Amino acid sequence: MIWHRQVTISRRRTGFATVFCVLNLFSPRTESLQSFLPYQRRPSSSLFATVDVWEGPWSATPKFLEEYWGQKPLLVRRAFDASTSPFPSWYDIVNLAVDDDTGYAARLVQHTAGDLTSFSLDLGPFDPDELDDALDDRSVRTTLLVNDVDRRRADLADWMEAQFAFLPRWRMDDAQISIAQKGGGIGPHVDNYDVFLIQTAGQREWKVGLDKLSTAEEYAALVPDIPVRILQKEFDAVAYVLEPGDMLYLPPRVIHCGTAASDQCVTLSVGCRAPSAADLIARMAEQLQDTATERYQDVNLSELTPSDVSLTTQVKERMKQMTLRAIQTLLKDDAAWDALVGGIITEPIRDDDLGAFDEDEDDYMGENSEELLQSSNIYLKRSPGVSVATSTVEISGQPASRLHRLFAHGTMWESNESLAREIFHHIEQGLPLTSEHLKAALTSPVLKSVLEELVQRRLLRIHRRND
């Protein structure tokens, strides 16, 4: 059996995807304590006194996972070799921003130095000449940011998954790259998620706050009436200048501010997906529209008198219980909850229609899919940057069954065949589906259909061994 549905959501990410700002913030190359505002949230104590500094190369050691992940910042000097890592160049990012197919993920943020109220935001794709002029204009502070770079660069996507292999693939968002000349950057802000900030070229100074900011405190401190989310209140911070290959890890809600300390400054941001309770509740509301069919019914109307209020405690309690029954029915259905969560954690955060293939493309499967899948000269592999998750759920009944599920790009496929678990695992891990896998899948109409649809939707790519 097979079932799937497509789901989409609007982009809600705060921080690097929507928080872009440029400030004229410079300091000497120092790692000493600095202060940037007269506003102290908890002046008597901070969550951390400084940012620990490790020497590379980077590895997600047990110490990192136990003491730093989700808890406190960490700076890793020489985490990576920038000369051998597959980092896109300044010009690669500019080319993505002006391309009609990829420029949708680009944003240009400008402001006048020293004026937090002067921010402007323009969305790509951009005219090449106008973008070059904007980046070269030293009368304003300019930052260009491009999301989903890993979807356009398979080598970068593979590198990310290897370096951050401790993360499930669905927890990894995207490779966002920002470029700026000296003085450009990202002003004081907080992110709702863990983020790794990797300097790939030039230098960038980061000021890292010593405390975390709640959502309410963030909203109270935002600069009003501008198209980006910037804090107008400053906090105690430590300052570091990152060189190519250095990496700064920040857990959610830590205040930070980045400023290009050199020309041709390029910074890679690897952010983590973190669905909120509001996201899950909104999706539950969508799903319950089709299943929560119970309606309110009156009780004991004869006991009411004209002097009574009409919205009684009993009426409100009956409506509350009706609502709780609908929610509990969904939460107690393991298969339905699994499908809801799997869909929301893998759907594309930004609008990105992967589109259908043209018949002259190498990956086009056409009508001869069975003949193609039987070829010993090809293998299939997950497309770069696609969010994927797998699960197994028990379905009660006579007889009971176990369903293996694959979620990709917000869509779910499922099968009760044992081979499905192996194939879905290979897809999730980015491992190749060899000719042996493909020939075995051809014996199952369900798995054959799944693979054909994944290829047609560009979620799997066809690779030829003589390429």
Side-chain angles (χ1 to χ4, degrees):
M1 62 183 295
I2 181 171
W3 177 90
H4 61 85
R5 73 182 179 107
Q6 178 70 42
V7 289
T8 58
I9 58 170
S10 60
R11 177 70 161 162
R12 290 194 185 182
R13 181 177 175 185
T14 62
F16 261 29
T18 53
V19 181
F20 322 111
C21 47
V22 185
L23 291 178
N24 187 19
L25 291 175
F26 289 96
S27 67
R29 188 172 173 181
T30 177
E31 298 182 358
S32 62
L33 183 66
Q34 297 189 6
S35 178
F36 46 117
L37 241 189
Y39 173 80
Q40 301 293 330
R41 185 163 72 97
R42 284 195 289 267
S44 60
S45 64
S46 297
L47 290 179
F48 21 85
T50 186
V51 174
D52 292 341
V53 181
W54 287 5
E55 286 294 323
W58 156 253
S59 176
T61 63
K63 181 178 177 65
F64 170 77
L65 296 176
E66 292 169 6
E67 298 183 17
Y68 294 91
W69 177 248
Q71 302 172 63
K72 59 183 180 179
L74 175 68
L75 172 61
V76 183
R77 295 290 190 189
R78 289 168 286 281
F80 310 108
D81 184 346
S83 65
T84 60
S85 300
F87 297 145
S89 69
W90 173 286
Y91 299 102
D92 292 331
I93 300 307
V94 170
N95 287 336
L96 289 175
V98 300
D99 188 282
D100 288 340
D101 293 328
T102 59
Y104 75 92
R107 290 162 305 278
L108 191 72
V109 179
Q110 295 181 302
H111 88 296
T112 302
D115 184 2
L116 291 178
T117 65
S118 64
F119 279 93
S120 64
L121 173 65
D122 293 302
L123 305 179
F126 299 103
D127 176 82
D129 293 333
E130 292 179 358
L131 181 59
D132 287 342
D133 290 344
L135 291 170
D136 291 338
D137 185 358
R138 301 305 178 105
S139 67
V140 293
R141 306 299 190 187
T142 300
T143 298
L144 174 68
L145 302 103
V146 179
N147 281 92
D148 295 325
V149 179
D150 52 319
R151 291 190 182 177
R152 314 304 170 184
R153 291 282 299 264
D155 55 350
L156 180 61
D158 291 342
W159 179 89
M160 283 172 51
E161 293 189 22
Q163 299 299 332
F164 305 105
F166 70 95
L167 287 170
R169 183 61 190 85
W170 67 264
R171 274 284 270 149
M172 210 177 298
D173 185 2
D174 71 328
Q176 178 187 269
I177 295 184
S178 63
I179 65 174
Q181 302 289 20
K182 186 174 182 178
I186 300 170
H189 67 280
V190 295
D191 296 324
N192 289 321
Y193 47 84
D194 303 88
V195 63
F196 296 91
L197 303 166
I198 302 154
Q199 194 64 23
T200 69
Q203 298 175 325
R204 184 180 292 275
E205 181 193 67
W206 286 101
K207 292 182 178 179
V208 182
L210 302 181
D211 212 341
K212 295 184 178 182
L213 205 62
S214 71
T215 301
E217 290 166 330
E218 177 196 4
Y219 287 163
L222 290 176
V223 178
D225 303 322
I226 59 173
V228 291
R229 300 170 69 91
I230 304 165
L231 300 173
Q232 61 182 332
K233 298 183 182 298
E234 299 177 1
F235 300 80
D236 279 347
V238 286
Y240 302 86
V241 174
L242 270 62
E243 305 281 350
D246 292 346
M247 180 181 75
L248 176 63
Y249 162 71
L250 296 173
R253 311 302 302 176
V254 171
I255 310 161
H256 53 289
C257 172
T259 305
S262 72
D263 284 345
Q264 301 283 301
C265 175
V266 184
T267 305
L268 165 63
S269 166
V270 179
C272 297
R273 298 177 64 128
S276 68
D279 294 330
L280 293 168
I281 291 170
R283 182 55 49 81
M284 288 176 63
E286 292 177 13
Q287 191 152 324
L288 288 172
Q289 287 180 1
D290 298 325
T291 59
T293 57
E294 182 182 359
R295 287 185 175 273
Y296 169 78
Q297 290 185 332
D298 292 311
V299 175
N300 297 330
L301 283 181
S302 60
E303 298 179 2
L304 289 177
T305 66
S307 61
D308 289 334
V309 296
S310 58
L311 184 57
T312 64
T313 301
Q314 292 80 2
V315 168
K316 290 181 286 188
E317 182 62 26
R318 287 183 63 82
M319 291 191 179
K320 180 190 296 183
Q321 294 303 318
M322 179 179 67
T323 303
L324 289 175
R325 282 193 295 274
I327 294 173
Q328 289 169 354
T329 298
L330 174 58
L331 294 179
K332 289 179 180 179
D333 186 336
D334 290 340
W337 183 245
D338 177 81
L340 184 150
V341 173
I344 200 170
I345 66 174
T346 61
E347 59 198 355
I349 295 180
R350 289 155 295 278
D351 293 335
D352 184 11
D353 183 6
L354 297 177
F357 285 97
D358 295 327
E359 294 189 17
D360 59 351
E361 291 192 60
D362 289 340
D363 282 0
Y364 180 67
M365 186 172 283
E367 298 179 358
N368 300 318
S369 59
E370 186 166 341
E371 179 180 344
L372 184 62
L373 293 176
Q374 287 178 334
S375 172
S376 60
N377 195 40
I378 72 157
Y379 64 93
L380 303 182
K381 190 176 178 182
R382 171 169 50 79
S383 297
V386 173
S387 186
V388 178
T390 56
S391 69
T392 299
V393 293
E394 303 288 341
I395 305 297
S396 60
Q398 297 295 329
S401 63
R402 173 177 293 179
L403 290 178
H404 306 293
R405 287 176 165 177
L406 170 71
F407 300 90
H409 219 57
T411 299
M412 185 182 82
W413 293 264
E414 65 182 12
S415 171
N416 57 7
E417 301 171 62
S418 58
L419 178 61
R421 180 172 184 174
E422 180 180 357
I423 288 179
F424 292 169
H425 175 76
H426 271 63
I427 294 173
E428 180 180 31
Q429 297 300 314
L431 302 173
L433 293 175
T434 65
S435 57
E436 289 75 17
H437 292 111
L438 301 182
K439 289 175 183 177
L442 285 175
T443 64
S444 164
V446 169
L447 293 178
K448 176 176 177 289
S449 175
V450 168
L451 294 180
E452 289 174 342
E453 185 174 356
L454 289 170
V455 171
Q456 189 62 29
R457 296 179 59 179
R458 296 180 182 258
L459 300 174
L460 285 180
R461 300 281 179 165
I462 298 173
H463 297 265
R464 289 169 172 78
R465 295 193 180 278
N466 58 357
D467 287 351

